[in-house]
């Protein structure tokens, strides 16, 4: 029988960041690698490339300040 690895590793050749899926690496190369994060937390110095990550940050780190 042929063994197939459960996790395939896709690495960024520019920064070394690793991803489980090729699509995640493609998004990283297109939107993140070498770019400056454009979304900034209004309550601290955190910044993100993706709106969802900023939203998750606000809900976990600053939950008591925004509710």
């Amino acid at each position: 029988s042929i063994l197939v690895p459960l996790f395939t590793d896709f690495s960024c050749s520019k920064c070394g960041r690793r991803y489980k899926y090729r699509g995640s690496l493609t998004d990283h190369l297109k939107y993140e690698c070498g770019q400056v994060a454009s979304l900034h937390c209004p309550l601290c110095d955190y910044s993100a490339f993706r709106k969802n990550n900023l939203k998750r940050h606000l809900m976990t780190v600053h939950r008591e300040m925004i509710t």
Side-chain angles (χ1 to χ4, degrees):
S1 72
I2 298 173
L3 296 175
V4 178
L6 294 176
F7 298 101
T8 306
D9 186 37
F10 297 97
S11 299
C12 177
S13 60
K14 296 179 182 179
C15 71
R17 188 145 185 201
R18 296 166 47 168
Y19 294 92
K20 182 178 176 181
Y21 303 106
R22 184 186 309 274
S24 299
L25 174 60
T26 301
D27 287 346
H28 165 76
L29 289 168
K30 188 173 182 181
Y31 300 111
E32 296 177 11
C33 195
Q35 305 292 321
V36 176
S38 61
L39 303 169
H40 303 283
C41 176
L43 303 172
C44 73
D45 291 336
Y46 177 83
S47 59
F49 291 100
R50 299 176 188 210
K51 189 176 182 180
N52 246 13
N53 290 347
L54 178 58
K55 189 174 183 179
R56 182 177 52 227
H57 164 79
L58 287 167
M59 293 305 292
T60 57
V61 177
H62 304 298
R63 174 175 232 124
E64 70 284 345
M65 298 178 99
I66 59 174
T67 56

